[in-house]
Amino acid sequence: MANYNKVNVPADARTELHDKLSLTGAEISINNLPAGASVPFVHAHKQNEEIYAIVSGTGKAVIDGETVALTAGDWLRIAPAAKRQFFAAKDDAVSFICIQVKEHSLEGYTNEDAIV
C-alpha cells in the first residue's frame, strides 16, 4: 500500500476529508457558501483550534460577537472556546478550507520533524 492518499473533490457545499484521506492528526473540510448564505449554526470546540484559509470570494466571520471581514488570501486561526459563525457576502460566494487540530498539540516544525 502507498504511503499517501490522493482524492479529487467536487465543489459541494461541504466536503470533509477525514475519511477520504484517512487523516489521523487533523480534520480538514472544504466549504462553499453561495452569495447570501451562512453556516446555519454558531459553534465552538472543546479542544480543537481551527485554521481557515479563504480560497475565493468575500464574506465575514462573527467570532465572540466581533465581525471579521474575509477575502481571498486571508488566513484565520480561532481558539477552541471562541463562538463562531461564517457568512458569504450578500453579492459574492465564499470558499474556504478549515483545518481543525488539537490546540497545543504541535510537537515539532518541518525542520525539526524532517528526516533527510
Side-chain angles (χ1 to χ4, degrees):
M1 181 173 162
N3 284 328
Y4 66 90
N5 295 325
K6 178 187 173 192
V7 296
N8 187 288
V9 297
D12 292 337
R14 180 174 170 88
T15 301
E16 294 181 356
L17 296 177
H18 60 273
D19 289 334
K20 295 180 184 303
L21 289 173
S22 300
L23 299 176
T24 64
E27 168 61 47
I28 302 173
S29 64
I30 303 165
N31 303 269
N32 298 293
L33 295 175
S38 68
V39 172
F41 53 85
V42 175
H43 76 286
H45 287 277
K46 295 175 187 172
Q47 50 185 335
N48 293 343
E49 66 185 7
E50 291 182 321
I51 302 99
Y52 290 88
I54 310 306
V55 177
S56 65
T58 58
K60 68 179 180 180
V62 177
I63 305 165
D64 288 338
E66 181 180 340
T67 299
V68 179
L70 301 172
T71 190
D74 287 348
W75 285 82
L76 178 65
R77 181 232 175 232
I78 303 178
K83 293 181 177 147
R84 70 214 67 177
Q85 186 175 19
F86 286 78
F87 301 81
K90 291 184 182 187
D91 59 351
D92 194 12
V94 67
S95 295
F96 56 92
I97 296 169
C98 177
I99 304 164
Q100 194 179 130
V101 295
K102 185 176 180 182
E103 189 176 41
H104 305 297
S105 66
L106 186 61
E107 294 180 1
Y109 298 95
T110 302
N111 291 340
E112 297 164 356
D113 188 57
I115 301 170
V116 181

